[in-house]
């Protein structure tokens, strides 16, 4: 009986067949033979691509929840004179109806919404949703591996994240309300159940949720680091890795070093709450009665929290930087400018992120001399960030730019990072920060540089790699509408906040009615609220486009629709578990050979010609 032999039908397939190599995991990973049911294929999957989809869709769910929370408290801030009684069927007792039938958001629930909004967006969306999605999707595909080093740990990483989200979600429905002491959970509000309704069971569930989240981050980080170090394909040296892989790799290291510190801070919080210890409490009075806590310091908690909190900023932004670097190069049809400088700047940012945490604590009573140390290193960390911005702009300069949605969001990221980063220089200076601290200037700064910019990086990645996830394209027209609406709307929200922050308007205030000095900002608050509602509507458009395109989007007909050079575009259109059906491709060159030797692009698997210089060396 004759055996049919499928002949390679593209140059890339012929090169893989000729130069690629068989790995000893091939028989185990090839195909989905061991995944025999819907549950093992799509729910408890060990395929990194399915896990990436799980992280992405779960992150999108939490983004909607966090976004809706911000709209509710923005309605209270923007239209305090309007009745919110129409929200009573949804929010129940948290909407208080007065004798005239006017409904207002409960003050207690306002702070719970602000707390949950920050927690959800920072951890569940911009950490797990961004890094979890793209690290899982791209690391094996871009370094040439069948899967993660430990597919089982990878699956557990997602399910610990899911469990953390479940605990946090249930805390929203407690009769005493979710935790309301701020997303930073400063003592004593986070420790004393008597402090507020949300400081009881809500705080306990909030802490449990984030401890489970830390476990998820650590399991994922160990896997990402091990995969990058040990499972790179033949020829894939560290200096031939695409920039997203460098970013995910360094992000995982930062998370592995910093998140355990947060877990230790929470452990001491629970000791103070449940065991009567005094790590963070001293000389506390409630209702005129002295509590039995002496000798602790809430500043200790601030040190522990911000030792994670500031690296967390880069855990969020570095993956976005890596994604944007790749998208800019592919769509400008140019090599990334200063590849090694980009890598060294990632390393410099990672190192410096660990020695600037106390710039969040200039108002906490730390020694001014110590503050100077943190001011200097905070300003120094702007240097590698500026190197990256310069290189992105230089990559764009003179390029044959394709203005698709992914490219628009990548360029938008650069804009947001520049404008948001510049305002950080003010806050990094301890003398100026004393005036700006806890005003809307701080809110505006970190939302632009960390929130909106990171979302832009995530959107660039989703639009760019959507065909690799689902074998179809998202709608370009809807994508461009989404970009322009979000870009203009985000600036409309956060630039006015800089102005009212400089005027001294404090953050986290439920109402400014009794402050005559702030009354003339009422119209600006209304403007910000309307802009926030419109921006949320554009995100709904993205979600419709996303889910519609999974089933109805334009089908991907070629392996490499963008003319990219990296390995993920050498896999079949329908990529099974194991990524490559035959041999794993061997890498011959660096990942950014665009516009070279009269060719539009040269894939990484194409051998160097005699005398040709490899850009990665």
């Amino acid at each position: 009986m004759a055996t049919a032999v499928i002949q390679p039908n593209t140059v890339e397939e012929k090169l893989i067949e000729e130069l690629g190599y068989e790995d000893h995991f091939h028989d185990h990973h090839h195909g989905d033979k061991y995944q025999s049911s819907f549950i093992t294929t799509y729910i408890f999957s060990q395929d990194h691509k399915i896990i990436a989809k799980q992280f992405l869709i779960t992150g999108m769910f939490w983004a909607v929840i966090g976004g809706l929370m911000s709209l509710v408290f923005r309605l209270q801030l923007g239209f305090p004179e309007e009745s919110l009684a129409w929200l009573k069927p949804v929010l129940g007792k948290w909407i208080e109806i007065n004798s005239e039938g006017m409904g207002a958001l409960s003050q207690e629930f306002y702070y719970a919404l602000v707390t949950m909004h920050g927690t959800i967006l920072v951890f569940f969306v911009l950490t797990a949703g961004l890094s979890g999605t793209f690290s899982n999707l791209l690391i094996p595909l871009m370094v040439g591996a069948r899967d993660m080093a430990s597919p089982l740990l990878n699956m557990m990483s997602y399910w610990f994240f899911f469990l953390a989200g479940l605990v946090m979600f249930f805390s929203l429905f407690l009769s005493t309300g979710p935790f309301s002491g701020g997303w930073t959970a400063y003592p004593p509000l986070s420790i004393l159940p008597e402090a507020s309704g949300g400081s009881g069971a809500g705080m306990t569930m909030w802490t449990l949720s984030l401890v489970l989240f830390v476990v998820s981050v650590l399991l994922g980080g160990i896997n990402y680091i091990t995969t990058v170090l040990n499972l790179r394909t033949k020829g894939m040296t560290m200096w031939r890795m695409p920039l997203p892989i460098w970013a995910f790799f360094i992000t995982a290291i930062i998370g592995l070093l910093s998140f355990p510190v947060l877990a230790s801070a929470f452990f001491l919080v629970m000791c103070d709450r449940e065991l009567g210890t005094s790590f963070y409490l001293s000389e506390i009075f409630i209702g005129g009665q002295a509590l039995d806590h002496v000798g602790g310091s809430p500043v200790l908690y601030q040190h522990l929290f911000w030792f994670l909190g500031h690296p967390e900023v880069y855990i969020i932004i570095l993956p976005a930087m890596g994604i944007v670097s790749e998208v800019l190069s592919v769509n400008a049809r140019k090599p990334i400018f200063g590849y090694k400088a980009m890598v060294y700047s990632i390393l410099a940012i990672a190192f410096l992120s660990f020695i600037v945490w106390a710039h969040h604590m200039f108002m906490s009573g730390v020694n001014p001399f110590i503050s100077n140390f943190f001011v200097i290193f905070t300003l120094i960390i702007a240097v590698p960030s500026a190197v990256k911005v310069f290189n992105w702009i230089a990559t764009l300069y003179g390029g044959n730019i394709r203005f698709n949605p992914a490219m628009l969001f990548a360029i938008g990221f650069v804009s947001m990072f520049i404008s948001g980063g510049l305002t950080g220089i003010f806050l990094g200076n301890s003398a100026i920060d004393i005036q700006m601290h806890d005003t809307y200037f701080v809110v505006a700064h970190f939302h632009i540089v960390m929130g909106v910019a990171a979302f832009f990086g995530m959107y660039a990645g989703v639009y760019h790699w959507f065909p690799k996830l689902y074998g179809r394209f998202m709608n370009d027209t809807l994508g461009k509408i989404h970009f322009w609406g979000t870009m203009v709307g985000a600036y409309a929200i956060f630039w006015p906040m800089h102005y009212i922050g400089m005027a001294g308007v404090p953050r986290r205030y439920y109402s400014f009615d009794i402050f005559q000095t702030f009354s003339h900002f009422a119209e600006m608050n209304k403007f910000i609220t309307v802009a926030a509602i419109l921006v949320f509507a554009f995100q709904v458009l993205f979600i419709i486009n996303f889910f519609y395109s999974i089933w109805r989007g334009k089908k991907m007909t070629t392996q490499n629709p963008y003319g990219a050079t990296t390995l993920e575009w050498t896999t079949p259109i329908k990529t099974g578990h194991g990524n490559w059906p035959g041999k794993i491709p061997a890498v011959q060159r660096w990942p950014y050979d665009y516009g070279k030797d009269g060719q539009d692009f040269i894939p990484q698997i194409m051998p160097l010609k005699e005398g040709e210089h490899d850009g990665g060396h």
Side-chain angles (χ1 to χ4, degrees):
M1 182 177 176
T3 304
V5 178
I6 300 173
Q7 296 295 328
N9 56 10
T10 66
V11 174
E12 287 84 355
E13 287 173 348
K14 290 174 183 174
L15 281 169
I16 293 171
E17 192 63 36
E18 180 185 343
L19 301 172
Y21 74 103
E22 297 285 358
D23 64 321
H24 64 282
F25 290 113
H26 175 73
D27 292 335
H28 174 70
H29 282 295
H30 177 47
D32 289 304
K33 296 173 185 175
Y34 69 95
Q35 296 187 335
S36 56
S37 70
F38 178 86
I39 291 176
T40 53
T41 303
Y42 295 106
I43 300 176
F44 295 107
S45 174
Q46 295 185 29
D47 182 353
H48 69 99
K49 298 180 292 298
I50 300 295
I51 295 170
K53 294 177 186 178
Q54 291 174 326
F55 269 105
L56 178 58
I57 292 172
T58 308
M60 288 170 65
F61 166 80
W62 279 113
V64 171
I65 297 291
L68 285 172
M69 288 177 170
S70 69
L71 292 192
V72 174
F73 65 70
R74 275 305 328 168
L75 284 172
Q76 174 61 42
L77 286 168
F79 300 94
E81 73 285 354
E82 299 293 330
S83 175
L84 295 180
W86 57 277
L87 281 171
K88 181 82 173 171
V90 179
L91 298 179
K93 68 175 185 177
W94 303 116
I95 297 293
E96 298 173 340
I97 309 293
N98 63 18
S99 57
E100 299 171 358
M102 295 284 286
L105 190 65
S106 148
Q107 295 184 24
E108 181 81 13
F109 195 59
Y110 171 84
Y111 291 112
L113 286 175
V114 172
T115 299
M116 287 293 135
H117 168 75
T119 304
I120 288 167
L121 268 295
V122 169
F123 294 112
F124 291 175
V125 180
L126 295 176
T127 301
L130 176 53
S131 189
T133 298
F134 291 103
S135 295
N136 268 298
L137 174 66
L138 296 178
I139 287 177
L141 288 172
M142 281 187 155
V143 304
R146 295 282 182 202
D147 205 311
M148 286 291 179
S150 173
L152 177 63
L153 280 187
N154 207 24
M155 180 186 76
M156 290 173 62
S157 171
Y158 170 74
W159 285 105
F160 268 103
F161 165 51
F162 185 84
L163 192 57
L166 212 57
V167 173
M168 189 69 76
F169 187 72
F170 285 145
S171 80
L172 300 176
F173 299 96
L174 293 169
S175 60
T176 53
F179 177 53
S180 56
W183 78 275
T184 54
Y186 281 175
L189 286 179
S190 60
I191 291 176
L192 301 175
E194 312 96 297
S196 69
S199 294
M203 173 58 190
T204 302
M205 293 184 75
W206 187 91
T207 309
L208 175 60
S209 171
L210 287 190
V211 169
L212 292 169
F213 181 81
V214 170
V215 175
S216 166
V217 171
L218 297 183
L219 289 174
I222 290 168
N223 229 348
Y224 306 151
I225 294 166
T226 307
T227 304
V228 170
L229 291 179
N230 293 332
L231 294 186
R232 298 193 310 279
T233 187
K234 181 181 176 183
M236 178 64 81
T237 63
M238 296 291 278
W239 289 112
R240 282 177 171 171
M241 293 197 311
L243 287 173
I245 304 305
W246 273 108
F248 303 147
F249 176 59
I250 299 303
T251 298
I253 294 173
I254 297 173
L256 216 57
L257 294 174
S258 60
F259 266 103
V261 179
L262 182 68
S264 68
F266 288 159
F267 176 73
L268 299 185
V269 164
M270 294 312 292
C271 286
D272 278 9
R273 280 175 65 86
E274 308 298 339
L275 302 179
T277 56
S278 299
F279 291 106
Y280 303 133
L281 299 177
S282 184
E283 300 172 353
I284 299 290
F285 290 79
I286 291 187
Q289 298 296 314
L291 300 188
D292 231 2
H293 291 282
V294 179
S297 170
V299 176
L300 169 62
Y301 176 87
Q302 290 191 35
H303 280 294
L304 293 173
F305 181 88
W306 288 115
F307 191 81
L308 165 276
H310 199 77
E312 169 67 6
V313 171
Y314 295 101
I315 289 170
I316 288 171
I317 207 69
L318 280 179
M321 288 176 166
I323 290 166
V324 163
S325 299
E326 182 72 17
V327 171
L328 287 177
S329 183
V330 170
N331 290 295
R333 313 310 294 158
K334 281 183 63 183
I336 195 76
F337 186 88
Y339 171 81
K340 284 197 172 183
M342 294 292 259
V343 173
Y344 287 131
S345 65
I346 291 173
L347 295 171
I349 286 170
F351 171 73
L352 290 168
S353 72
F354 282 98
I355 54 175
V356 295
W357 78 87
H359 68 211
H360 297 270
M361 299 170 57
F362 290 149
M363 294 288 284
S364 66
V366 295
N367 187 306
F369 178 78
I370 297 297
S371 293
N372 291 340
F373 171 87
F374 288 99
V375 168
I376 290 167
F377 282 102
T378 299
L379 297 180
I380 289 174
I381 206 170
V383 175
S385 300
V387 168
K388 298 187 83 64
V389 169
F390 175 82
N391 287 2
W392 288 324
I393 294 172
T395 302
L396 289 169
Y397 182 75
N400 185 19
I401 299 174
R402 299 186 296 213
F403 289 105
N404 54 34
M407 187 60 160
L408 289 172
F409 274 106
I411 296 170
F413 171 92
V414 179
S415 169
M416 289 288 173
F417 190 73
I418 292 171
S419 54
L422 287 173
T423 58
I425 295 173
F426 297 94
L427 296 174
N429 185 312
S430 56
I432 301 175
D433 184 67
I434 289 170
Q435 305 301 319
M436 300 292 193
H437 192 82
D438 265 345
T439 68
Y440 270 92
F441 191 92
V442 178
V443 177
H445 159 69
F446 77 74
H447 273 84
I448 284 184
V449 78
M450 189 180 84
V452 180
F455 263 109
F456 272 41
M458 184 188 289
Y459 287 139
V462 171
Y463 281 108
H464 186 73
W465 281 289
F466 190 87
K468 187 49 59 183
L469 279 166
Y470 295 104
R472 294 176 183 265
F473 293 90
M474 292 180 71
N475 184 285
D476 262 20
T477 303
L478 292 180
K480 289 173 182 176
I481 294 170
H482 173 220
F483 166 74
W484 286 111
T486 307
M487 181 79 173
V488 174
Y491 276 128
I493 294 168
F494 296 114
W495 272 117
M497 283 191 189
H498 285 95
Y499 174 70
I500 63 175
M502 285 189 285
V505 178
R507 64 193 286 203
R508 296 197 180 109
Y509 274 40
Y510 168 81
S511 171
F512 298 105
D513 290 348
I514 61 172
F515 298 96
Q516 189 176 354
T517 185
F518 300 140
S519 60
H520 57 288
F521 295 118
E523 293 303 314
M524 194 170 286
N525 254 325
K526 287 180 182 176
F527 175 81
I528 293 170
T529 300
V530 171
I533 293 168
L534 292 174
V535 166
F536 185 82
F538 284 110
Q539 310 323 303
V540 172
L541 181 69
F542 165 77
I543 292 170
I544 293 169
N545 188 4
F546 180 90
F547 286 104
Y548 178 83
S549 299
I550 291 175
W551 292 282
R552 299 288 184 177
K554 177 186 170 187
K555 284 188 177 180
M556 183 180 175
T557 55
T558 59
Q559 284 184 349
N560 190 359
Y562 301 123
T565 61
T566 42
L567 293 182
E568 76 271 26
W569 303 108
T570 63
T571 60
I573 293 172
K574 290 187 176 179
T575 310
H577 193 183
N579 297 333
W580 290 270
K583 294 180 178 180
I584 295 181
V587 168
Q588 312 291 330
R589 60 178 66 232
W590 80 316
Y592 296 106
D593 273 332
Y594 293 100
K596 183 178 181 182
D597 298 335
Q599 294 177 265
D600 183 35
F601 70 101
I602 307 175
Q604 275 194 284
I605 61 174
M606 194 73 70
L608 292 167
K609 297 175 184 174
E610 189 174 346
E612 186 182 357
H613 177 69
D614 183 13
H617 288 270

